[in-house]
Amino acid sequence: MLELIILPPIISGILAFLLSKHPRAAELVAVAGASLAAFFALFVTWGFIQEPVPYVESYGLLYLDSISALFTSLTALVSFFVFIYSIGYLRHEVEEKTVDESRLGTYYGLLSFFLAAMLVAPLASNIVVMWAAIEATTLASVFLISFYNTTSSIEAAWKFFIINSVGILLALVGIMFLMYAVLPPDSASWGDWPSLLAPHTGVNLFFMKIAFAFILVGFGTKVGLVPLHVWLPDAHSQAPTPVSALLSGVLLNIAFHGIVRAYQILAPYPELVSFASSLLMVFGMLSLAVGALRLYYQDNLKRMLAYSSVENMGIIVLAFGLGGPIGIFAALFHMVSHSLAKPLAFLSSGVIALAFKTKEIRLISGAAQMVPAVAIPFVFIAVGISGSPPFGTFISEVGILAASLSGGQYLVALLLIIFTTVTFASLLYRASGMCFGKMPEGVEKFKPSLLMVVPFVALLLLAVYFGLMVPEPLIRLISMVVEEVIGG
Amino acid sequence: MAADTTPAFLAFLQIIFIFGFSPFIVGLMRKVKARLQGRSGSPIIQPYLDLAKLLSKGESKSSTTSFIFVIAPIVGFVSVAIASVMLPILSPVSFLAVNIIVFAYLFSIGRFLTALSGLDAGSSFGGLGSSREMLYSVLIEPALFAVVLFLAASGGFNVIAPLASGGMAWEALALSPAHWIAALGLFIIILAETGRLPFDNPATHLELTMVHEAMILENSGPGLAFVEWAHASKIFLLFALIPIIFLPLSSPDPIMRSVFVLGVSLLLAMLTAVVESISVKVRLFKVGELLMLAMLLALLSFLTTLSGTGAGGAPVETALVFVMLLSSLYFVFSATFNRSVELYMIQSACLVIIFALSALSEGAPDLYFRVGTTFILKFLLIPVMLFNLFRVMPGEVKLLPTRFYNVFRATKEDLRLNLDFDPLFTGSYVTPARILAYSGILIVLAFLLSSILGGTTIMLPLVLSLILIGMLIIAVKTNLLLQLLGFLLMENGVVLLPIALPIQLPFVSDAVALFDVVILIIVAMLLALKIRGTVGTLDTKELDELIEKR
């Protein structure tokens, strides 16, 4: 069953490349692949929640446990909405002559491969295949980032490529150290999860510490932790909006998944857990601080959202570092909420940018008059990504605050409050500045296509539902993950 | 000579031996250089005739000179004479057992006074030579101390004792890669200290290009004779240092020892002559880089010896990893793309041999698979793709197949890096000397980390150094393709990690990782082509200028 999640995007990717001459067909095929992936992912996850037994499949290559279930279903679900939006967005770009229609096949092919790689990573049965999948996501997204073929986008793509590749290679060094430290000397194991997680005697703790440090720095580069985040604002702002949504909303999670797995392996050893927690908290605080402070000074709408991603991933990592069941639960819940809210932010800002034909914040105002269905929610979403109701980020940030206070980390709590307030204020100011007020001179009427508005509204409703109602299966799934990570 | 000859007599004999044969060594160097230049050159004994001539002539001194000008040649001569009894040439134990710092600084006394005498004569050329010579001595010192560190780690600090006193047999020394690297570093330092090319041209007659010669322009007659003789003996002594430290004989027979030392020194003299003939005199700014390289080599041997398994473990594999490390360091200097790819091919060749050796010793089939894939991908496929990158028509993605003899040549126009505005930088953000300094720090870090981790072979710190230096190259190079090559160097290190640790990575995960890397190279090359086609440059400095204001 698990291969049914991965195969549709791969096949649709190949088909999309072959169908370059027929862009409509390519669009259809890509969306079909994403929908099938989402359907099967949710189906499998639902089945898993009912019967939480981890299992291995597909000649031992694919594996499902609670962590896999959470990440896979989240990825597939969000991607589904973004793919549909993508059709509308790119059709507008073709109309505006920004993109040539013949390139749509390449675009959808790369997008599908990107999705496939992102789905393989959490479903991989061993650590090396997971690593290779994360590497593959970098390779698949390089040409998506450079899609517009401008100097900035190509430079952003190169920076993305080289920095992330170096990071992932460092993560491989860490993985090898980990395998050396944990596995018995003569085992020819692949580093599959059961053998890595099995209790071991005589583990060299220092090796494990160094291994975790390498993995954190390596995958942390891809998560966008400060000071390794330098590629992120450029890459996320230069890519086409649907790609930015996936990069910010989904890819960062997948990279974080690598760190979660490493943490899971460390969890039985208290000394290592405290070491890992300190590292995670340091990186988390740095990212939170830098993201929050730089956010206000951005002129470009998408760069502002990119820095918000840095900030949010900092919060997630910080919460993970705080540890304990509350901290990790809050971290994962924040991750889920952020993955729903951030793509919403990008989707709406994409519509606004198309309407005003610019991405500069100061040139946009009165969006509520032009595209009310998108702009008015945009204000709420903008503050939602900094942690306000009706989005789930509010609940998770309160949870993180609770975890830090109960853990005695008063400084962390204080800084968290300060920086989230700063972010909240900056985003509210910018978003309302863009949405309300008079429209600038000489802006043409713009009607966004339904293909953009419908997925946006659907995702919005889903996000609000998750944030206000917090459905019970979700809570159950996340609790299972917490148990899995901390180790029963 | 019988073994009961008194040491004092032997010491005196040693001085005569050194001073007697040193003009011969200088003459031989000149002869070999002349032959290599197609001339017949002056006879080998010409330096003796020159000395005789100078001693018989009168001296003319500038009127501004003081007593310094008089005593400098004498003190220089005497200090070299004292130094010459410090080496255990005629006897296994040196007559004047002091440590190597005293040995090195005896030469400095002579140099100091000669520099002063160059200023003393009141001519500007003298001052020019003196300041340059002192600059060289400052630059040489750190490198020299790195070698001293290495000797200390090998147990030979207090006395200039042969490394054999550390308990190592001849054969182990000959096979130990760490010692060869130290010998190489020491050779570069000797070239600098004795003022040979590529640091200083002893045969130049153009005053503005002189370093050592300019100081002694005003000397004449017997003064000049002493200076030249002392210089020649210094050369002989420094050459003799190499066989004494690295190829020690344990026999006490003076004749056999002296013949051996003389023989190796003559060989080194010929080697120096060859090196001089193929080198150009480097710019003053680059002298530091070369000496920095020597220092790194000595530092590397020091760290290797310190971690205790310098000659142990698998010598061939260790030697190959050293070669890989050296090629990574040399990458810093490479100014053309072709040269960089050739360095990568050297590394890949070493990698293939290492894998082949481990496959032969273990015999597992997946190891042979690894050897095959590494050879095909890293030695053939990737270099061919890189060399032919710019034969691709802009806009098309087809890679044209080429005939074999075209494989190693690509359009010079396309691949020349733009060095016009930064000839010192060889395509990097910082000077090569500084890059080498950072590399030294990274190497120390790698050894530190490995020593804390403990329990592993000598390969681990070397492999970690490879990885870290690869990262450094990515960070400092401005050309995108050189950054890509830096990434490939880093990846070579990571691929060696399973051997260094050692863990078993089953071949499927090996193949997955390798396959991933190949796709990565292709993606990188396509992106580079796209950048080149769209923007017209591959240099990140120019890219930065071209980017629209954000």
Side-chain angles (χ1 to χ4, degrees):
Chain A
M1 180 72 87
L2 292 176
E3 60 277 10
L4 288 176
I5 304 180
I6 303 178
L7 283 176
I10 297 181
I11 299 176
S12 65
I14 301 176
L15 286 177
F17 272 113
L18 295 173
L19 289 171
S20 294
K21 300 269 172 41
H22 309 275
R24 296 285 167 265
E27 292 171 356
L28 199 62
V29 150
V31 169
S35 338
L36 284 171
F39 174 72
F40 285 116
L42 289 171
F43 184 74
V44 160
T45 305
W46 182 257
F48 184 82
I49 298 179
Q50 312 305 326
E51 232 195 80
V53 177
Y55 57 92
V56 179
E57 257 196 15
S58 312
Y59 311 104
L61 281 175
L62 298 178
Y63 174 79
L64 187 74
D65 67 356
S66 52
I67 304 179
S68 313
L70 179 65
F71 280 87
T72 311
S73 47
L74 189 62
T75 305
L77 185 63
V78 172
S79 307
F80 168 68
F81 291 107
V82 174
F83 267 62
I84 302 182
Y85 174 92
S86 189
I87 301 182
Y89 188 84
L90 277 182
R91 282 194 194 167
H92 267 290
E93 294 273 36
V94 168
E95 257 175 51
E96 300 290 328
K97 303 276 186 276
T98 328
V99 170
D100 194 47
E101 199 171 31
S102 59
R103 300 185 64 206
L104 286 184
T106 318
Y107 173 82
Y108 284 108
L110 285 171
L111 204 65
S112 304
F113 284 144
F114 184 40
L115 176 62
M118 285 199 290
L119 288 171
V120 171
L123 287 173
S125 68
N126 63 56
I127 199 169
V128 178
V129 173
M130 178 196 82
W131 173 84
I134 297 184
E135 172 80 75
T137 63
T138 309
L139 300 177
S141 44
V142 167
F143 289 110
L144 285 171
I145 294 177
S146 72
F147 192 68
Y148 288 133
N149 283 345
T150 60
T151 312
S152 328
S153 60
I154 299 181
E155 193 251 358
W158 180 266
K159 257 206 296 213
F160 169 80
F161 168 72
I162 201 94
I163 296 180
N164 280 5
S165 301
V166 169
I168 292 178
L169 209 54
L170 285 178
L172 184 61
V173 172
I175 288 176
M176 285 203 231
F177 276 164
L178 193 65
M179 288 172 68
Y180 177 70
V182 167
L183 296 173
D186 48 355
S187 84
S189 146
W190 294 22
D192 51 299
W193 304 122
S195 63
L196 281 176
L197 292 169
H200 307 280
T201 52
V203 164
N204 185 333
L205 288 180
F206 194 77
F207 248 99
M208 299 259 291
K209 284 189 191 173
I210 300 289
F212 184 78
F214 268 102
I215 291 179
L216 181 59
V217 168
F219 285 136
T221 312
K222 213 149 161 60
V223 170
L225 297 176
V226 172
L228 310 157
H229 71 295
V230 287
W231 58 273
L232 202 149
D234 298 326
H236 286 205
S237 58
Q238 296 296 326
T241 303
V243 176
S244 303
L246 285 180
L247 286 173
S248 267
V250 181
L251 185 59
L252 299 183
N253 290 347
I254 299 291
F256 181 62
H257 166 268
I259 302 178
V260 170
R261 291 285 187 191
Y263 188 88
Q264 186 191 14
I265 298 177
L266 289 185
Y269 309 95
E271 192 189 318
L272 293 175
V273 168
S274 63
F275 172 76
S277 296
S278 345
L279 275 187
L280 286 167
M281 287 212 289
V282 166
F283 276 110
M285 292 289 342
L286 270 177
S287 310
L288 172 61
V290 169
L293 293 173
R294 294 203 73 165
L295 194 140
Y296 179 73
Y297 295 100
Q298 301 306 314
D299 296 321
N300 182 313
L301 175 56
K302 287 167 71 173
R303 270 179 87 87
M304 187 179 77
L305 295 176
Y307 274 107
S308 162
S309 292
V310 170
E311 189 228 353
N312 277 302
M313 293 316 286
I315 293 180
I316 295 174
V317 166
L318 175 64
F320 221 78
L322 286 170
I326 311 177
I328 299 195
F329 188 94
L332 292 168
F333 193 76
H334 192 87
M335 186 186 79
V336 171
S337 318
H338 179 252
S339 291
L340 293 171
K342 186 49 66 67
L344 279 173
F346 272 106
L347 297 189
S348 44
S349 65
V351 173
I352 296 176
L354 275 180
F356 286 83
K357 302 202 198 325
T358 177
K359 295 198 181 76
E360 303 232 4
I361 298 179
R362 58 190 172 80
L363 293 178
I364 304 177
S365 64
Q369 298 167 31
M370 181 97 92
V371 279
V374 167
I376 297 177
F378 176 67
V379 182
F380 288 98
I381 297 168
V383 295
I385 55 180
S386 70
S388 107
F391 292 97
T393 44
F394 175 66
I395 305 176
S396 51
E397 284 190 8
V398 169
I400 298 172
L401 211 53
S404 59
L405 287 172
S406 71
Q409 305 271 8
Y410 300 114
L411 182 64
V412 168
L414 180 66
L415 290 174
L416 184 67
I417 296 176
I418 293 178
F419 286 125
T420 46
T421 314
V422 167
T423 322
F424 180 88
S426 321
L427 282 166
L428 179 62
Y429 181 68
R430 292 286 183 226
S432 50
M434 280 195 280
C435 288
F436 305 121
K438 270 187 4 179
M439 282 194 347
E441 311 289 316
V443 176
E444 301 164 8
K445 284 283 306 160
F446 178 79
K447 193 154 183 331
S449 88
L450 277 178
L451 283 167
M452 287 201 285
V453 176
V454 169
F456 169 74
V457 172
L459 189 56
L460 180 63
L461 290 172
L462 189 67
V464 170
Y465 172 67
F466 271 42
L468 285 180
M469 299 307 204
V470 191
E472 214 254 313
L474 178 63
I475 299 185
R476 220 174 339 144
L477 182 58
I478 300 185
S479 320
M480 281 191 252
V481 174
V482 173
E483 243 185 74
E484 184 80 48
V485 168
I486 304 194
Chain B
M1 293 280 164
D4 56 304
T5 337
T6 59
F9 179 66
L10 265 185
F12 186 65
L13 215 56
Q14 187 163 316
I15 300 182
I16 297 187
F17 172 71
I18 298 283
F19 279 87
F21 280 105
S22 56
F24 184 76
I25 298 232
V26 174
L28 180 68
M29 279 202 283
R30 288 190 198 156
K31 186 74 168 175
V32 173
K33 268 209 289 195
R35 281 285 175 192
L36 286 172
Q37 288 166 10
R39 306 181 275 123
S40 58
S42 40
I44 299 187
I45 58 167
Q46 183 65 34
Y48 291 103
L49 303 174
D50 287 337
L51 281 177
K53 173 190 77 173
L54 284 171
L55 284 169
S56 64
K57 289 176 87 162
E59 195 156 344
S60 72
K61 291 190 294 209
S62 157
S63 53
T64 60
T65 59
S66 63
F67 71 99
I68 299 271
F69 194 79
V70 175
I71 67 168
I74 303 174
V75 173
F77 187 82
V78 169
S79 63
V80 174
I82 298 176
S84 61
V85 299
M86 289 183 179
L87 292 185
I89 298 182
L90 290 184
S91 125
V93 179
S94 52
F95 304 104
L96 200 59
V98 292
N99 62 48
I100 193 167
I101 297 186
V102 176
F103 179 72
Y105 279 83
L106 272 176
F107 297 134
S108 293
I109 295 177
R111 181 196 279 129
F112 170 64
L113 284 171
T114 317
L116 283 181
S117 81
L119 291 165
D120 208 16
S123 92
S124 41
F125 288 127
L128 184 143
S130 302
S131 72
R132 285 178 180 175
E133 180 77 15
M134 291 323 274
L135 174 68
Y136 277 26
S137 75
V138 165
L139 292 173
I140 290 172
E141 271 195 41
L144 188 65
F145 270 94
V147 174
V148 169
L149 274 178
F150 164 71
L151 287 177
S154 322
F157 177 70
N158 277 321
V159 177
I160 306 174
L163 290 173
S165 69
M168 274 191 260
W170 240 93
E171 301 77 38
L173 275 180
L175 281 182
S176 159
H179 294 98
W180 283 112
I181 302 239
L184 182 62
L186 187 59
F187 184 69
I188 297 178
I189 294 171
I190 291 177
L191 283 181
E193 175 88 22
T194 55
R196 317 300 300 180
L197 281 163
F199 296 95
D200 178 17
N201 189 350
T204 183
H205 56 278
L206 302 167
E207 291 89 348
L208 288 174
T209 65
M210 291 178 182
V211 178
H212 179 81
E213 303 298 317
M215 283 196 298
I216 55 177
L217 270 179
E218 297 292 328
N219 287 320
S220 54
L224 186 59
F226 284 131
V227 167
E228 295 280 4
W229 208 352
H231 191 72
S233 309
K234 177 172 151 185
I235 295 177
F236 188 12
L237 276 174
L238 287 174
F239 280 162
L241 205 56
I242 291 190
I244 285 173
I245 296 179
F246 295 101
L247 301 168
L249 278 186
S250 48
S251 98
D253 180 15
I255 297 189
M256 191 162 115
R257 295 179 65 87
S258 58
V259 165
F260 180 69
V261 168
L262 184 63
V264 177
S265 305
L266 288 174
L267 281 173
L268 283 172
M270 289 199 277
L271 177 67
T272 310
V274 169
V275 169
E276 287 199 271
S277 304
I278 62 178
S279 312
V280 295
K281 181 163 172 296
V282 291
R283 297 180 53 168
L284 207 61
F285 302 115
K286 287 201 176 279
V287 168
E289 288 164 17
L290 270 176
L291 287 168
M292 178 74 79
L293 185 67
M295 183 176 101
L296 268 185
L297 292 173
L299 189 68
L300 197 58
S301 341
F302 162 62
L303 289 169
T304 312
T305 320
L306 198 63
S307 52
T309 50
V316 182
E317 273 97 335
T318 319
L320 286 170
V321 178
F322 269 120
V323 171
M324 288 174 74
L325 200 51
L326 286 181
S327 65
S328 278
L329 286 174
Y330 192 73
F331 202 85
V332 170
F333 295 108
S334 72
T336 65
F337 183 63
N338 279 355
R339 177 59 39 82
S340 314
V341 181
E342 283 163 17
L343 285 173
Y344 178 68
M345 286 179 74
I346 293 177
Q347 283 212 347
S348 307
C350 295
L351 212 56
V352 170
I353 299 176
I354 294 178
F355 284 151
L357 285 173
S358 83
L360 283 170
S361 67
E362 312 240 350
D366 35 288
L367 291 177
Y368 285 105
F369 178 77
R370 185 192 285 182
V371 176
T373 49
T374 310
F375 179 74
I376 294 176
L377 287 173
K378 293 202 176 158
F379 191 71
L380 295 178
L381 189 65
I382 292 179
V384 166
M385 287 200 291
L386 286 171
F387 277 127
N388 290 289
L389 188 57
F390 292 106
R391 291 177 173 280
V392 176
M393 306 294 213
E396 291 172 37
V397 183
K398 299 199 291 284
L399 286 176
L400 305 174
T402 52
R403 289 187 298 264
F404 184 74
Y405 74 91
N406 264 341
V407 159
F408 296 107
R409 231 173 312 131
T411 324
K412 274 197 217 150
E413 178 63 44
D414 290 325
L415 295 173
R416 196 187 321 128
L417 301 175
N418 187 359
L419 299 174
D420 287 340
F421 57 89
D422 58 354
L424 284 180
F425 285 71
T426 58
S428 334
Y429 284 107
V430 290
T431 57
R434 209 182 284 186
I435 301 176
L436 286 178
Y438 295 148
S439 315
I441 297 176
L442 289 175
I443 293 178
V444 170
L445 267 175
F447 271 88
L448 212 60
L449 192 61
S450 308
S451 70
I452 301 179
L453 288 172
T456 50
T457 65
I458 189 64
M459 294 264 279
L460 184 64
L462 295 175
V463 167
L464 282 178
S465 316
L466 264 179
I467 297 175
L468 291 175
I469 291 180
M471 278 177 68
L472 181 67
I473 290 175
I474 297 178
V476 297
K477 288 286 179 183
T478 57
N479 186 294
L480 296 179
L481 290 173
L482 289 181
Q483 287 179 355
L484 176 64
L485 276 167
F487 179 79
L488 289 174
L489 296 181
M490 187 181 163
E491 198 259 333
N492 276 350
V494 175
V495 162
L496 276 178
L497 210 50
I499 295 189
L501 271 181
I503 53 178
Q504 308 267 22
L505 266 189
F507 79 100
V508 175
S509 40
D510 239 353
V512 163
L514 210 58
F515 177 70
D516 227 350
V517 168
V518 171
I519 307 232
L520 188 143
I521 309 288
I522 296 178
V523 165
M525 287 199 275
L526 289 177
L527 190 60
L529 280 173
K530 195 177 190 190
I531 295 178
R532 187 105 189 320
T534 318
V535 181
T537 176
L538 277 176
D539 188 285
T540 52
K541 281 193 203 166
E542 289 175 21
L543 271 181
D544 279 339
E545 283 161 31
L546 286 170
I547 290 190
E548 302 107 31
K549 271 288 167 201
R550 277 194 261 276

